[in-house]
Amino acid sequence: MTEYMVRPIGVVRSALKDPADAPKQGALTGQEAEIVVDPAYLPALEGLDPGRGKIIVMCWMHRADRDRLKVHPRGQEDRPERGVFSTRSPHRPNPISLHTVTLRSIEGNVLRVRGMDAIDGTPVVDIKSHSPELDG
Amino acid sequence: MTEYMVRPIGVVRSALKDPADAPKQGALTGQEAEIVVDPAYLPALEGLDPGRGKIIVMCWMHRADRDRLKVHPRGQEDRPERGVFSTRSPHRPNPISLHTVTLRSIEGNVLRVRGMDAIDGTPVVDIKSHSPELDG
């Protein structure tokens, strides 16, 4: 099948520096982070509004193992392995992560968000509006 | 920034053959479709269970315009243009779509799902478990 090239549109800036520090499903901890968007994509941010609810951020988990097809859920080795497509493990053939976060503020090309568990330096590949109807 | 290669893990089979036929946010219409997974990834499907609620399917919208940074929401030209990152338009720098669908059945490498608005032949790039807590 044809392959496609993902071009990061920004990067995560976070106090989480190491995968070992990142809480599993850390969205639930309310971790704050910044999404620094490449200024070339500034027009694509128009319409994003901290008053309009949550947004979806997709990242490329650049440290993931793309060859892993089975994992212990949440890294707990006492739990039986499962196929990665039945989990939220970062390890998967195309390591695209999905973060439903609260948009706190936008200043220029910097989005401040809450509920982001990606580590500092993670490439961001997409931002979308969140819809409770479509995504809940 | 470094670019990354996305390798499709499967393909959508659907009665929707043309983008013009695809309902906007067609998840809400209950459209049925099949996800045909490359047999190389069969182990990654273990643990997916139609009884366990919704799943997330990500596709690569191969017909999208990656250079469009602003769009009329839902293609309605009477509505003012907005940045693509504030919409769910297929047109965006990395055209990765997000579908929260109901898993109806699995037979071998074929997943039957409901609520899928991607057109026939759309490459599938990831499958994840859905979590109302994380994604809602």
mmCIF file of all heavy atoms in Angstrom, chain B residues 63-97:
data_model
loop_
_atom_site.group_PDB
_atom_site.id
_atom_site.type_symbol
_atom_site.label_atom_id
_atom_site.label_comp_id
_atom_site.label_asym_id
_atom_site.label_seq_id
_atom_site.Cartn_x
_atom_site.Cartn_y
_atom_site.Cartn_z
ATOM 1 N N ARG B 63 -7.567 11.845 -0.329
ATOM 2 C CA ARG B 63 -7.996 12.801 -1.350
ATOM 3 C C ARG B 63 -8.006 14.242 -0.829
ATOM 4 O O ARG B 63 -8.454 15.154 -1.522
ATOM 5 C CB ARG B 63 -9.408 12.460 -1.821
ATOM 6 C CG ARG B 63 -9.507 11.090 -2.473
ATOM 7 C CD ARG B 63 -10.749 11.067 -3.332
ATOM 8 N NE ARG B 63 -11.094 9.743 -3.777
ATOM 9 C CZ ARG B 63 -12.116 9.494 -4.580
ATOM 10 N NH1 ARG B 63 -12.893 10.484 -5.007
ATOM 11 N NH2 ARG B 63 -12.382 8.265 -4.971
ATOM 12 N N ALA B 64 -7.589 14.448 0.394
ATOM 13 C CA ALA B 64 -7.652 15.796 0.983
ATOM 14 C C ALA B 64 -6.602 16.714 0.377
ATOM 15 O O ALA B 64 -5.600 16.266 -0.192
ATOM 16 C CB ALA B 64 -7.443 15.694 2.489
ATOM 17 N N ASP B 65 -6.860 18.007 0.514
ATOM 18 C CA ASP B 65 -5.930 19.041 0.062
ATOM 19 C C ASP B 65 -5.085 19.455 1.264
ATOM 20 O O ASP B 65 -5.576 20.130 2.167
ATOM 21 C CB ASP B 65 -6.733 20.227 -0.496
ATOM 22 C CG ASP B 65 -5.829 21.359 -0.956
ATOM 23 O OD1 ASP B 65 -4.591 21.273 -0.771
ATOM 24 O OD2 ASP B 65 -6.369 22.340 -1.505
ATOM 25 N N ARG B 66 -3.820 19.060 1.266
ATOM 26 C CA ARG B 66 -2.956 19.316 2.414
ATOM 27 C C ARG B 66 -2.506 20.766 2.503
ATOM 28 O O ARG B 66 -1.922 21.170 3.511
ATOM 29 C CB ARG B 66 -1.728 18.402 2.356
ATOM 30 C CG ARG B 66 -2.076 16.942 2.329
ATOM 31 C CD ARG B 66 -0.851 16.060 2.376
ATOM 32 N NE ARG B 66 -0.152 16.162 3.654
ATOM 33 C CZ ARG B 66 0.853 15.374 4.010
ATOM 34 N NH1 ARG B 66 1.277 14.433 3.180
ATOM 35 N NH2 ARG B 66 1.443 15.527 5.173
ATOM 36 N N ASP B 67 -2.718 21.534 1.455
ATOM 37 C CA ASP B 67 -2.266 22.936 1.450
ATOM 38 C C ASP B 67 -3.331 23.906 1.930
ATOM 39 O O ASP B 67 -3.051 25.097 2.066
ATOM 40 C CB ASP B 67 -1.803 23.326 0.041
ATOM 41 C CG ASP B 67 -0.577 22.539 -0.374
ATOM 42 O OD1 ASP B 67 0.279 22.276 0.502
ATOM 43 O OD2 ASP B 67 -0.479 22.167 -1.560
ATOM 44 N N ARG B 68 -4.552 23.426 2.152
ATOM 45 C CA ARG B 68 -5.637 24.305 2.594
ATOM 46 C C ARG B 68 -5.510 24.554 4.090
ATOM 47 O O ARG B 68 -5.581 23.610 4.883
ATOM 48 C CB ARG B 68 -7.000 23.658 2.313
ATOM 49 C CG ARG B 68 -7.371 23.628 0.860
ATOM 50 C CD ARG B 68 -8.234 24.826 0.484
ATOM 51 N NE ARG B 68 -9.592 24.671 0.974
ATOM 52 C CZ ARG B 68 -10.528 23.894 0.419
ATOM 53 N NH1 ARG B 68 -10.277 23.197 -0.678
ATOM 54 N NH2 ARG B 68 -11.734 23.830 0.930
ATOM 55 N N LEU B 69 -5.373 25.817 4.487
ATOM 56 C CA LEU B 69 -5.282 26.163 5.910
ATOM 57 C C LEU B 69 -6.585 26.754 6.435
ATOM 58 O O LEU B 69 -6.794 26.838 7.644
ATOM 59 C CB LEU B 69 -4.123 27.140 6.157
ATOM 60 C CG LEU B 69 -2.729 26.603 5.830
ATOM 61 C CD1 LEU B 69 -1.667 27.617 6.233
ATOM 62 C CD2 LEU B 69 -2.461 25.263 6.507
ATOM 63 N N LYS B 70 -7.481 27.198 5.514
ATOM 64 C CA LYS B 70 -8.778 27.723 5.925
ATOM 65 C C LYS B 70 -9.878 27.108 5.058
ATOM 66 O O LYS B 70 -9.661 26.839 3.870
ATOM 67 C CB LYS B 70 -8.800 29.253 5.815
ATOM 68 C CG LYS B 70 -7.709 29.901 6.692
ATOM 69 C CD LYS B 70 -7.797 31.415 6.712
ATOM 70 C CE LYS B 70 -8.825 31.863 7.723
ATOM 71 N NZ LYS B 70 -8.805 33.335 7.899
ATOM 72 N N VAL B 71 -11.033 26.894 5.658
ATOM 73 C CA VAL B 71 -12.166 26.290 4.931
ATOM 74 C C VAL B 71 -13.466 26.933 5.401
ATOM 75 O O VAL B 71 -13.544 27.491 6.498
ATOM 76 C CB VAL B 71 -12.284 24.762 5.196
ATOM 77 C CG1 VAL B 71 -11.105 24.005 4.604
ATOM 78 C CG2 VAL B 71 -12.420 24.470 6.694
ATOM 79 N N HIS B 72 -14.481 26.826 4.550
ATOM 80 C CA HIS B 72 -15.843 27.129 4.987
ATOM 81 C C HIS B 72 -16.335 25.918 5.781
ATOM 82 O O HIS B 72 -16.344 24.804 5.251
ATOM 83 C CB HIS B 72 -16.763 27.360 3.787
ATOM 84 C CG HIS B 72 -16.399 28.550 2.962
ATOM 85 N ND1 HIS B 72 -16.653 29.840 3.371
ATOM 86 C CD2 HIS B 72 -15.792 28.654 1.765
ATOM 87 C CE1 HIS B 72 -16.221 30.678 2.453
ATOM 88 N NE2 HIS B 72 -15.686 29.990 1.464
ATOM 89 N N PRO B 73 -16.747 26.114 7.037
ATOM 90 C CA PRO B 73 -17.169 24.951 7.837
ATOM 91 C C PRO B 73 -18.231 24.119 7.110
ATOM 92 O O PRO B 73 -19.178 24.664 6.548
ATOM 93 C CB PRO B 73 -17.726 25.584 9.114
ATOM 94 C CG PRO B 73 -16.985 26.884 9.234
ATOM 95 C CD PRO B 73 -16.789 27.353 7.813
ATOM 96 N N ARG B 74 -18.039 22.812 7.118
ATOM 97 C CA ARG B 74 -18.925 21.841 6.451
ATOM 98 C C ARG B 74 -19.141 22.159 4.978
ATOM 99 O O ARG B 74 -20.148 21.758 4.386
ATOM 100 C CB ARG B 74 -20.277 21.750 7.168
ATOM 101 C CG ARG B 74 -20.092 21.364 8.635
ATOM 102 C CD ARG B 74 -21.381 21.004 9.299
ATOM 103 N NE ARG B 74 -21.135 20.779 10.723
ATOM 104 C CZ ARG B 74 -21.894 20.032 11.487
ATOM 105 N NH1 ARG B 74 -22.941 19.428 10.983
ATOM 106 N NH2 ARG B 74 -21.619 19.876 12.765
ATOM 107 N N GLY B 75 -18.213 22.905 4.379
ATOM 108 C CA GLY B 75 -18.304 23.204 2.956
ATOM 109 C C GLY B 75 -19.391 24.207 2.599
ATOM 110 O O GLY B 75 -19.677 24.420 1.423
ATOM 111 N N GLN B 76 -19.985 24.847 3.606
ATOM 112 C CA GLN B 76 -21.081 25.806 3.355
ATOM 113 C C GLN B 76 -20.476 27.178 3.055
ATOM 114 O O GLN B 76 -19.959 27.850 3.945
ATOM 115 C CB GLN B 76 -22.021 25.857 4.566
ATOM 116 C CG GLN B 76 -22.707 24.509 4.807
ATOM 117 C CD GLN B 76 -23.402 24.433 6.162
ATOM 118 O OE1 GLN B 76 -23.293 25.327 6.987
ATOM 119 N NE2 GLN B 76 -24.122 23.327 6.382
ATOM 120 N N GLU B 77 -20.564 27.575 1.779
ATOM 121 C CA GLU B 77 -19.828 28.762 1.348
ATOM 122 C C GLU B 77 -20.391 30.056 1.915
ATOM 123 O O GLU B 77 -19.737 31.096 1.837
ATOM 124 C CB GLU B 77 -19.774 28.821 -0.186
ATOM 125 C CG GLU B 77 -19.110 27.593 -0.765
ATOM 126 C CD GLU B 77 -18.228 27.886 -1.958
ATOM 127 O OE1 GLU B 77 -18.360 28.966 -2.546
ATOM 128 O OE2 GLU B 77 -17.397 27.007 -2.285
ATOM 129 N N ASP B 78 -21.606 29.992 2.466
ATOM 130 C CA ASP B 78 -22.155 31.203 3.088
ATOM 131 C C ASP B 78 -21.625 31.400 4.512
ATOM 132 O O ASP B 78 -21.886 32.428 5.131
ATOM 133 C CB ASP B 78 -23.691 31.151 3.095
ATOM 134 C CG ASP B 78 -24.211 29.891 3.781
ATOM 135 O OD1 ASP B 78 -23.527 28.839 3.724
ATOM 136 O OD2 ASP B 78 -25.298 29.949 4.385
ATOM 137 N N ARG B 79 -20.893 30.416 5.004
ATOM 138 C CA ARG B 79 -20.321 30.586 6.345
ATOM 139 C C ARG B 79 -18.882 31.085 6.205
ATOM 140 O O ARG B 79 -18.157 30.665 5.305
ATOM 141 C CB ARG B 79 -20.343 29.263 7.104
ATOM 142 C CG ARG B 79 -21.775 28.779 7.361
ATOM 143 C CD ARG B 79 -21.805 27.432 8.053
ATOM 144 N NE ARG B 79 -21.310 27.493 9.419
ATOM 145 C CZ ARG B 79 -21.193 26.413 10.203
ATOM 146 N NH1 ARG B 79 -21.509 25.223 9.755
ATOM 147 N NH2 ARG B 79 -20.738 26.546 11.435
ATOM 148 N N PRO B 80 -18.454 31.983 7.084
ATOM 149 C CA PRO B 80 -17.096 32.532 6.949
ATOM 150 C C PRO B 80 -16.026 31.442 7.110
ATOM 151 O O PRO B 80 -16.230 30.455 7.827
ATOM 152 C CB PRO B 80 -17.002 33.565 8.079
ATOM 153 C CG PRO B 80 -18.153 33.306 8.996
ATOM 154 C CD PRO B 80 -19.200 32.556 8.223
ATOM 155 N N GLU B 81 -14.917 31.637 6.427
ATOM 156 C CA GLU B 81 -13.826 30.676 6.519
ATOM 157 C C GLU B 81 -13.234 30.651 7.933
ATOM 158 O O GLU B 81 -13.199 31.662 8.619
ATOM 159 C CB GLU B 81 -12.724 31.052 5.536
ATOM 160 C CG GLU B 81 -13.042 30.692 4.097
ATOM 161 C CD GLU B 81 -11.797 30.711 3.244
ATOM 162 O OE1 GLU B 81 -10.975 31.629 3.420
ATOM 163 O OE2 GLU B 81 -11.633 29.816 2.423
ATOM 164 N N ARG B 82 -12.782 29.465 8.301
ATOM 165 C CA ARG B 82 -12.087 29.296 9.581
ATOM 166 C C ARG B 82 -10.831 28.472 9.372
ATOM 167 O O ARG B 82 -10.712 27.730 8.399
ATOM 168 C CB ARG B 82 -13.002 28.586 10.582
ATOM 169 C CG ARG B 82 -13.998 29.543 11.209
ATOM 170 C CD ARG B 82 -15.075 28.866 11.966
ATOM 171 N NE ARG B 82 -14.566 27.824 12.850
ATOM 172 C CZ ARG B 82 -15.355 27.056 13.595
ATOM 173 N NH1 ARG B 82 -16.658 27.222 13.537
ATOM 174 N NH2 ARG B 82 -14.851 26.122 14.370
ATOM 175 N N GLY B 83 -9.913 28.605 10.312
ATOM 176 C CA GLY B 83 -8.706 27.789 10.254
ATOM 177 C C GLY B 83 -9.056 26.317 10.374
ATOM 178 O O GLY B 83 -9.931 25.938 11.162
ATOM 179 N N VAL B 84 -8.390 25.488 9.590
ATOM 180 C CA VAL B 84 -8.746 24.057 9.583
ATOM 181 C C VAL B 84 -8.573 23.406 10.953
ATOM 182 O O VAL B 84 -9.290 22.451 11.283
ATOM 183 C CB VAL B 84 -7.949 23.255 8.523
ATOM 184 C CG1 VAL B 84 -8.350 23.683 7.125
ATOM 185 C CG2 VAL B 84 -6.448 23.373 8.735
ATOM 186 N N PHE B 85 -7.662 23.935 11.784
ATOM 187 C CA PHE B 85 -7.461 23.313 13.099
ATOM 188 C C PHE B 85 -8.636 23.579 14.052
ATOM 189 O O PHE B 85 -8.701 22.979 15.127
ATOM 190 C CB PHE B 85 -6.149 23.791 13.734
ATOM 191 C CG PHE B 85 -4.903 23.333 13.020
ATOM 192 C CD1 PHE B 85 -3.722 24.067 13.110
ATOM 193 C CD2 PHE B 85 -4.880 22.170 12.261
ATOM 194 C CE1 PHE B 85 -2.560 23.656 12.474
ATOM 195 C CE2 PHE B 85 -3.720 21.745 11.615
ATOM 196 C CZ PHE B 85 -2.555 22.492 11.722
ATOM 197 N N SER B 86 -9.541 24.462 13.668
ATOM 198 C CA SER B 86 -10.738 24.690 14.494
ATOM 199 C C SER B 86 -11.950 23.957 13.919
ATOM 200 O O SER B 86 -13.079 24.203 14.349
ATOM 201 C CB SER B 86 -11.034 26.186 14.613
ATOM 202 O OG SER B 86 -11.655 26.677 13.444
ATOM 203 N N THR B 87 -11.726 23.063 12.963
ATOM 204 C CA THR B 87 -12.813 22.334 12.293
ATOM 205 C C THR B 87 -12.508 20.833 12.271
ATOM 206 O O THR B 87 -11.465 20.395 12.745
ATOM 207 C CB THR B 87 -12.979 22.798 10.826
ATOM 208 O OG1 THR B 87 -11.925 22.213 10.030
ATOM 209 C CG2 THR B 87 -12.932 24.304 10.690
ATOM 210 N N ARG B 88 -13.436 20.093 11.616
ATOM 211 C CA ARG B 88 -13.203 18.678 11.345
ATOM 212 C C ARG B 88 -13.044 18.434 9.849
ATOM 213 O O ARG B 88 -13.208 17.305 9.376
ATOM 214 C CB ARG B 88 -14.377 17.851 11.885
ATOM 215 C CG ARG B 88 -14.491 17.913 13.396
ATOM 216 C CD ARG B 88 -13.310 17.267 14.088
ATOM 217 N NE ARG B 88 -13.442 15.856 14.127
ATOM 218 C CZ ARG B 88 -13.682 15.135 15.224
ATOM 219 N NH1 ARG B 88 -13.754 15.741 16.396
ATOM 220 N NH2 ARG B 88 -13.795 13.841 15.168
ATOM 221 N N SER B 89 -12.734 19.473 9.107
ATOM 222 C CA SER B 89 -12.533 19.324 7.665
ATOM 223 C C SER B 89 -11.495 18.247 7.346
ATOM 224 O O SER B 89 -10.500 18.116 8.049
ATOM 225 C CB SER B 89 -12.040 20.656 7.091
ATOM 226 O OG SER B 89 -11.657 20.488 5.740
ATOM 227 N N PRO B 90 -11.703 17.497 6.254
ATOM 228 C CA PRO B 90 -10.653 16.571 5.819
ATOM 229 C C PRO B 90 -9.405 17.302 5.326
ATOM 230 O O PRO B 90 -8.310 16.735 5.331
ATOM 231 C CB PRO B 90 -11.304 15.778 4.679
ATOM 232 C CG PRO B 90 -12.458 16.607 4.229
ATOM 233 C CD PRO B 90 -12.904 17.420 5.423
ATOM 234 N N HIS B 91 -9.580 18.549 4.902
ATOM 235 C CA HIS B 91 -8.453 19.303 4.364
ATOM 236 C C HIS B 91 -7.637 19.881 5.513
ATOM 237 O O HIS B 91 -8.149 20.679 6.300
ATOM 238 C CB HIS B 91 -8.955 20.421 3.447
ATOM 239 C CG HIS B 91 -9.885 19.926 2.393
ATOM 240 N ND1 HIS B 91 -9.491 18.998 1.438
ATOM 241 C CD2 HIS B 91 -11.187 20.161 2.157
ATOM 242 C CE1 HIS B 91 -10.518 18.723 0.651
ATOM 243 N NE2 HIS B 91 -11.561 19.400 1.073
ATOM 244 N N ARG B 92 -6.390 19.464 5.618
ATOM 245 C CA ARG B 92 -5.502 19.890 6.701
ATOM 246 C C ARG B 92 -4.108 19.373 6.377
ATOM 247 O O ARG B 92 -3.959 18.476 5.541
ATOM 248 C CB ARG B 92 -6.010 19.378 8.048
ATOM 249 C CG ARG B 92 -6.329 17.881 8.053
ATOM 250 C CD ARG B 92 -6.976 17.415 9.363
ATOM 251 N NE ARG B 92 -8.239 18.054 9.623
ATOM 252 C CZ ARG B 92 -8.450 18.899 10.655
ATOM 253 N NH1 ARG B 92 -7.493 19.153 11.539
ATOM 254 N NH2 ARG B 92 -9.632 19.471 10.802
ATOM 255 N N PRO B 93 -3.101 19.932 7.033
ATOM 256 C CA PRO B 93 -1.721 19.576 6.637
ATOM 257 C C PRO B 93 -1.424 18.074 6.709
ATOM 258 O O PRO B 93 -0.747 17.530 5.832
ATOM 259 C CB PRO B 93 -0.865 20.381 7.615
ATOM 260 C CG PRO B 93 -1.703 21.598 7.929
ATOM 261 C CD PRO B 93 -3.120 21.084 7.968
ATOM 262 N N ASN B 94 -1.910 17.424 7.770
ATOM 263 C CA ASN B 94 -1.787 15.967 7.869
ATOM 264 C C ASN B 94 -3.198 15.408 7.951
ATOM 265 O O ASN B 94 -3.817 15.432 9.022
ATOM 266 C CB ASN B 94 -0.977 15.572 9.109
ATOM 267 C CG ASN B 94 0.457 16.024 9.009
ATOM 268 O OD1 ASN B 94 1.199 15.600 8.122
ATOM 269 N ND2 ASN B 94 0.867 16.917 9.904
ATOM 270 N N PRO B 95 -3.726 14.925 6.833
ATOM 271 C CA PRO B 95 -5.163 14.582 6.781
ATOM 272 C C PRO B 95 -5.491 13.253 7.454
ATOM 273 O O PRO B 95 -5.872 12.278 6.810
ATOM 274 C CB PRO B 95 -5.448 14.554 5.281
ATOM 275 C CG PRO B 95 -4.140 14.187 4.653
ATOM 276 C CD PRO B 95 -3.071 14.785 5.530
ATOM 277 N N ILE B 96 -5.329 13.265 8.789
ATOM 278 C CA ILE B 96 -5.645 12.080 9.591
ATOM 279 C C ILE B 96 -7.050 12.263 10.155
ATOM 280 O O ILE B 96 -7.314 13.230 10.857
ATOM 281 C CB ILE B 96 -4.631 11.915 10.744
ATOM 282 C CG1 ILE B 96 -3.202 11.802 10.193
ATOM 283 C CG2 ILE B 96 -4.984 10.685 11.590
ATOM 284 C CD1 ILE B 96 -2.130 12.021 11.239
ATOM 285 N N SER B 97 -7.935 11.346 9.818
ATOM 286 C CA SER B 97 -9.309 11.453 10.306
ATOM 287 C C SER B 97 -9.499 10.606 11.550
ATOM 288 O O SER B 97 -8.735 9.672 11.819
ATOM 289 C CB SER B 97 -10.295 11.016 9.231
ATOM 290 O OG SER B 97 -10.085 9.662 8.910
#
